[in-house]
């Protein structure tokens, strides 16, 4: 019984073999037919699209498709050209696509949120704190705070910065904000004028930056008064609180260094953009970063140098505009008596005693470190 059972099952199993072979044969046949059908389905479209039928014209490479070459081209491989511009040997520069996506994507989006955030924060601060008044009222005495040269340096830097900021913001956001309002012709004229102004006025900004640095750097080194000032947050959030300060308080020192360093960064990256492909700051910087363990590329093409310069220029510029909005606020509507310092150069003595008590003492002691001498002026103050 056992034997006959085994014999039946072996017979049954061996009966399956032809069925499997037939199935495989059918499947293989179907695959071949389906595969060639699929190819046929695609081929006519390609052939009608390509006048050479997918062949390299002139048969110079002798093949219908050279995937490796095109892959290398897509990945930025550089070929040889006989014109002076060797960079024309790169047909597709993929970093350009990344650059465009970053510039028109996160850079612009975070930039506009940052600017709006700053305006909202200042409006809230004004609503809550109001204008910071001279607590002891105006006196009948004025003091020279900034002489003509200092005010010239400030307004050279500030005036040029405002033109640079507006024309720069137009480059980033104008097509969204102004083009629909002004129409193509006016927007094009304005943008072209803004671009030319941006290029030339940049040098006035650099001159103002250097002059302000030379005139004010000695007043901007940190000292022990800064700790007390910081501990009270400069009295910004507390009424009638006036921590002592010399010519510049800690907030102003921070602004000074921020303007100087970001102004230098803007100048260097701006010069790299103004004279294309002449400067490459990123490759040496990235080499240093790579040497200390950062995972950054150490070879940067001249085109990628330009793209990185643009991104850097825009980021630093946006941060500067945000900070300067705060500065303009406090120098105008935010604080009574502040604008006089850069307007006429003469400030009310009570304002000076409240905001720069140590500086007033220095000036009144006649110390050479203090700029200007106390002056009494009869009558009104502004
Ligand atoms: C309408 C625009 C501006 C106004 C009304 C303004 C106003 C002022 C005032 C009143 C001061 C003197 C503060 C004091 O006496 O303690 C000052 C100082 C200064 N400003 Fe401006 N400013 C303007 C734009 C700018 C810009 C665009 C920059 C730089 C890019 C700048 C950089 C500085 C620096 C570094 C100081 C010295 C440090 C300080 O006082 O904060 N200012 N500004």
């Amino acid at each position: 019984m056992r034997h006959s059972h085994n014999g039946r099952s072996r017979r049954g199993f061996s009966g399956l073999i032809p069925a499997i072979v037939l199935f495989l044969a059918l499947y293989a046949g179907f695959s071949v037919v389906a595969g060639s059908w699929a190819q046929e389905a695609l081929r006519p479209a390609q052939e009608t699209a390509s006048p050479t039928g997918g062949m390299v014209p002139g048969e110079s490479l002798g093949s219908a498709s050279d995937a490796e070459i095109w892959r290398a081209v897509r990945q930025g491989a550089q070929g040889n050209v006989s014109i002076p511009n060797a960079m024309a040997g790169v047909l597709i520069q993929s970093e350009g696509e990344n650059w465009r996506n970053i510039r028109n994507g996160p850079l612009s989006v975070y930039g506009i949120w940052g600017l709006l955030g700053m305006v909202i924060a200042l409006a809230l601060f004004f609503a809550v704190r109001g204008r910071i008044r001279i607590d002891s009222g105006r006196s009948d005495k004025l003091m020279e705070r900034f002489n003509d040269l200092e005010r010239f340096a400030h307004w050279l830097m500030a005036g040029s910065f405002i033109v640079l900021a507006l024309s720069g913001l137009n480059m980033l956001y104008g097509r969204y904000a102004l083009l629909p309002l002004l129409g193509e012709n006016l927007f094009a004229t304005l943008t072209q004028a803004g671009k030319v102004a941006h290029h030339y006025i940049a040098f006035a900004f650099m001159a103002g930056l250097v002059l302000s640095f030379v005139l004010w750097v000695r007043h901007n080194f940190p000292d022990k008064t800064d700790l007390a000032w910081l501990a009270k947050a400069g009295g910004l959030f507390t009424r009638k609180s006036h921590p002592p300060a010399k010519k510049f308080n800690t907030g102003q020192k921070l602004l000074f260094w921020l303007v100087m360093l970001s102004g230098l960064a803007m100048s260097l990256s701006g010069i790299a953009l103004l004279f294309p492909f002449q400067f490459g700051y990123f490759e040496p910087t990235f080499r240093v970063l790579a040497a200390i363990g950062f995972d950054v590329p150490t070879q940067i093409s001249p085109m990628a140098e330009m793209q990185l310069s643009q991104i850097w220029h825009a980021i630093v510029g946006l941060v500067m505009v945000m900070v300067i909005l705060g500065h303009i606020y406090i120098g105008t509507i935010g604080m009574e008596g502040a604008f006089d310092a850069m307007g006429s150069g003469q400030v009310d003595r009570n304002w000076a005693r409240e905001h720069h008590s140590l500086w007033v003492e220095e000036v009144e002691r006649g110390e050479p470190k203090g700029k200007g001498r106390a002056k009494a002026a009869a009558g009104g103050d502004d």
Side-chain angles (χ1 to χ4, degrees), residues 36-370:
S36 59
W37 173 81
Q39 278 178 358
E40 286 305 316
L42 291 175
R43 204 170 283 142
Q46 275 182 349
E47 276 166 4
T48 47
S50 159
T52 61
M55 299 294 286
V56 174
E59 299 269 348
S60 57
L61 291 178
S63 72
S65 146
D66 205 332
E68 290 310 317
I69 289 185
W70 293 114
R71 191 167 294 121
V73 166
R74 183 67 188 78
Q75 288 169 355
Q78 180 155 12
N80 294 319
V81 284
S82 53
I83 55 171
N85 179 9
M87 278 184 306
V90 177
L91 285 183
I92 300 179
Q93 195 244 1
S94 294
E95 293 110 316
E97 219 168 292
N98 296 341
W99 164 75
R100 196 168 167 279
N101 287 339
I102 293 173
R103 180 196 184 273
N104 296 347
L107 174 69
S108 304
V109 173
Y110 292 132
I112 200 74
W113 280 118
L115 292 172
L116 284 177
M118 192 67 194
V119 172
I120 292 171
L122 290 172
L124 283 177
F125 182 75
F126 186 65
V128 174
R129 179 72 165 91
R131 189 166 208 220
I132 299 173
R133 298 273 167 201
I134 303 174
D135 287 329
S136 46
R138 287 184 183 259
S139 70
D140 61 350
K141 287 186 173 166
L142 294 179
M143 295 180 66
E144 184 181 81
R145 179 140 173 84
F146 294 112
N147 63 26
D148 294 347
L149 184 61
E150 288 175 300
R151 280 180 289 129
F152 170 73
H154 176 267
W155 288 117
L156 184 62
M157 177 169 67
S160 55
F161 181 86
I162 289 168
V163 178
L164 293 172
L166 292 177
S167 51
L169 288 173
N170 183 43
M171 288 181 216
L172 210 50
Y173 299 114
R175 68 159 66 183
Y176 310 109
L178 291 186
L179 177 60
L181 291 178
L182 303 181
E184 282 174 4
N185 286 341
L186 192 54
F187 176 69
T189 312
L190 185 89
T191 302
Q192 177 63 20
K195 188 186 88 107
V196 174
H198 201 90
H199 289 177
Y200 287 97
I201 290 177
F203 293 97
F205 174 70
M206 291 181 227
L209 202 66
V210 172
L211 193 53
S212 306
F213 180 81
V214 171
L215 291 173
W216 290 337
V217 65
R218 68 201 173 101
H219 299 292
N220 281 289
F221 295 112
D223 57 44
K224 58 182 186 311
T225 60
D226 295 317
L227 292 176
W229 194 92
L230 282 173
K232 290 191 171 180
L236 276 175
F237 302 97
T238 339
R239 280 166 216 273
K240 303 201 176 183
S241 157
H242 300 293
K246 295 189 181 173
K247 173 141 177 164
F248 291 128
N249 63 39
T250 316
Q252 291 174 305
K253 288 179 185 174
L254 288 172
L255 180 89
F256 174 85
W257 287 112
L258 203 125
V259 165
M260 291 303 148
L261 293 179
S262 49
L264 179 68
M266 291 301 281
S267 306
L268 291 177
S269 52
I271 286 173
L273 293 169
L274 210 47
F275 303 102
F277 310 116
Q278 305 299 311
F279 300 89
Y281 308 119
F282 287 92
E283 189 168 296
T285 313
F286 281 17
R287 288 218 169 125
V288 173
L289 291 177
I292 57 173
F294 285 90
D295 184 20
V296 284
T298 49
Q299 280 195 323
I300 312 276
S301 70
M303 189 62 91
E305 284 278 354
M306 292 296 294
Q307 290 153 352
L308 288 168
S309 296
Q310 189 279 331
I311 298 280
W312 175 246
H313 196 75
I315 294 176
V316 179
L318 284 164
V319 171
M320 260 189 115
V321 174
M322 287 170 212
V323 173
I324 290 300
L325 282 175
H327 171 72
I328 294 177
Y329 165 81
I330 205 78
T332 53
I333 56 169
M335 181 185 281
E336 182 184 6
F339 187 80
D340 300 335
M342 277 302 166
S344 62
Q346 311 285 317
V347 290
D348 190 278
R349 187 169 174 276
N350 283 352
W351 176 90
R353 279 165 60 91
E354 285 177 14
H355 298 291
H356 299 275
S357 55
L358 300 174
W359 171 71
V360 174
E361 284 168 22
E362 267 173 23
V363 174
E364 292 185 343
R365 278 199 306 266
E367 284 182 11
K369 263 180 109 186

